[in-house]
Amino acid sequence: MKKFGKILLATALASCFGSALAADFNPRIIRFGYGLAEDSNQGRAVKAFAEDLAKRTGGKLRAKGFASASLGNDNQMQNALIGGAQEMTVVSTATLVGIEDSFGIYDLPFVFRNEQEADSILDGEFGKKLAAKLEAKGLIGLVYWENGFRNLTNSKRPITKLEDMQGVKLRVMQNPVYIDMFNSFGANAIPLAFSELFTALESRTVDGQENPVNTIQSSKFYEVQKYLSITRHVYSPWIVLASKKWWDGLTAAEKKAIQETALVSRDFERKDSREAGSKAMDILKQKGMQINVLSTKELDRLQDAARPAIAKFSANGHTELVKELQADLAKIRK
Ligand code: TK8
């Protein structure tokens, strides 16, 4: 009798919970596009996002991942979200500067010393304030994922010092801070969408590129690049975005579920990316890449050479923003 009572209670609770789900969540398919391969840290995190969201909403909200820029490159997907033709994406913050130029702040070289500093700035007031600026532009910035510290690869020569970059045709993201920075290093910076990068490297339209080791591995750049130089010149965030047009039509419960899932996906993604990073280095070695680490002295020289790029960004209406970030970093560091 007692046992039967428990079962009844459990059934009542389950159906109550079930009906609450039915009322709060509408069946929706979320097209979640991204630029990297399905078998990458980005792809794994999109999958984790989809799984968590399905669980949280009783299978009502279904995120469908579209890998390898099959829905478009970062900029195209941002515009698709703004227009309401796509629901979600994850892109490099660097590719958002055409929509909100303050995002260039994260592209300044040698801003963060380690991942923990990046986490506390991105997840704290500074990062939230910046993400909130996107709403007026038609985008909802949900969370930051880790793309990671960027390093250089090329097919010409090992880059061990500033002078080695002279004349190297280097693909950069479509972002003025990157263009200025690499030109100030003496390279020939060529802005190009990531989706066109492998072919550009293969055909030698460009000599090199810069990305975190996870991406160099998952995009198989080792097939077309010989040299990897560890510079960690910029910590590159990814940002998970939703279309505001679409978001505004969601119920409060749906928004809450997506926000909660976004946080879960962020923690999953950062942990996974950090673990994958050292494995990626081993794989790149096995694949025959020649790897060198730049000395602190050479990194200081790079930082010096990049000062005009930083000054230019500040002068373009961002003096306060740069000061704010420096003050927040100073707080973290003491
Ligand atoms: C993927 C890009 C990539 C970025 C780049 O779509 O373009 O180099 O690092 O992660 O956003």
Side-chain angles (χ1 to χ4, degrees):
M1 208 46 210
K2 235 182 163 183
K3 193 177 173 193
F4 186 60
K6 262 188 195 161
I7 292 171
L8 266 185
L9 181 67
T11 321
L13 276 176
S15 72
C16 179
F17 188 51
S19 66
L21 283 180
D24 288 347
F25 304 118
N26 302 297
R28 294 182 195 273
I29 302 284
I30 302 170
R31 283 162 295 183
F32 195 145
Y34 57 100
L36 299 194
E38 196 173 339
D39 183 16
S40 66
N41 52 340
Q42 208 176 42
R44 290 191 293 274
V46 170
K47 190 158 170 264
F49 180 97
E51 281 167 6
D52 186 86
L53 188 63
K55 233 190 268 158
R56 209 175 279 279
T57 61
K60 289 288 181 64
L61 297 193
R62 296 209 167 269
K64 195 170 163 4
F66 290 87
S68 306
S70 56
L71 296 184
N73 63 39
D74 286 16
N75 291 311
Q76 290 165 332
M77 289 194 285
Q78 290 156 23
N79 289 327
L81 260 59
I82 292 170
Q86 184 184 326
E87 291 74 35
M88 289 187 68
T89 187
V90 56
V91 296
S92 285
T93 53
T95 62
L96 275 171
V97 292
I99 291 170
E100 173 52 59
D101 65 356
S102 324
F103 276 96
I105 185 98
Y106 297 133
D107 307 317
L108 301 179
F110 306 104
V111 166
F112 299 127
R113 289 181 189 157
N114 51 50
E115 286 86 355
Q116 289 64 40
E117 283 190 2
D119 290 355
S120 48
I121 294 293
L122 293 166
D123 301 344
E125 279 317 302
F126 188 92
K128 284 187 186 149
K129 224 168 81 182
L130 217 59
K133 287 191 178 192
L134 291 170
E135 200 165 337
K137 312 282 165 86
L139 295 169
I140 303 293
L142 288 166
V143 280
Y144 294 98
W145 287 357
E146 172 161 295
N147 188 355
F149 280 104
R150 303 179 78 92
N151 300 298
L152 282 172
T153 68
N154 85 99
S155 53
K156 271 197 144 169
R157 55 179 169 257
I159 290 174
T160 62
K161 56 183 184 306
L162 182 60
E163 287 73 14
D164 296 333
M165 254 188 275
Q166 198 64 43
V168 172
K169 276 187 278 172
L170 198 91
R171 175 271 177 178
V172 294
M173 289 189 278
Q174 291 153 304
N175 170 305
V177 178
Y178 276 93
I179 300 171
D180 291 344
M181 172 174 24
F182 280 95
N183 284 337
S184 72
F185 292 158
N188 180 2
I190 299 167
L192 195 70
F194 185 82
S195 52
E196 284 159 52
L197 180 51
F198 188 92
T199 312
L201 293 169
E202 194 178 32
S203 63
R204 300 249 175 164
T205 307
V206 296
D207 303 314
Q209 64 86 44
E210 43 85 54
N211 252 298
V213 288
N214 280 325
T215 299
I216 297 167
Q217 185 251 316
S218 65
S219 300
K220 300 192 163 70
F221 289 161
Y222 50 78
E223 290 180 356
V224 286
Q225 298 277 274
K226 177 72 185 164
Y227 306 104
L228 166 60
S229 306
I230 303 298
T231 48
R232 292 166 64 91
H233 48 276
V234 175
Y235 177 90
S236 182
W238 278 327
I239 187 166
V240 177
L241 300 171
S243 157
K244 181 165 168 6
K245 256 196 184 160
W246 170 73
W247 183 259
D248 287 345
L250 299 179
T251 66
E254 288 167 348
K255 288 179 187 166
K256 187 164 169 263
I258 293 169
Q259 278 159 337
E260 285 168 358
T261 291
L263 285 174
V264 169
S265 75
R266 178 193 73 190
D267 296 345
F268 169 90
E269 194 273 347
R270 285 180 183 160
K271 187 165 179 282
D272 177 57
S273 293
R274 286 162 199 179
E275 284 166 7
S278 54
K279 276 182 234 151
M281 283 285 279
D282 290 340
I283 296 170
L284 295 177
K285 255 178 246 166
Q286 274 167 31
K287 296 286 181 186
M289 284 196 97
Q290 193 178 312
I291 307 177
N292 68 282
V293 181
L294 265 80
S295 67
T296 4
K297 190 180 140 238
E298 279 307 317
L299 292 177
D300 285 346
R301 291 186 65 217
L302 289 186
Q303 198 167 358
D304 273 343
R307 283 197 206 286
I310 302 174
K312 189 170 157 195
F313 176 77
S314 287
N316 276 339
H318 299 114
T319 321
E320 283 312 310
L321 194 67
V322 172
K323 267 195 209 147
E324 213 180 296
L325 178 58
Q326 277 163 347
D328 283 2
L329 280 169
K331 260 185 250 159
I332 294 168
R333 282 172 188 162
K334 72 166 185 215

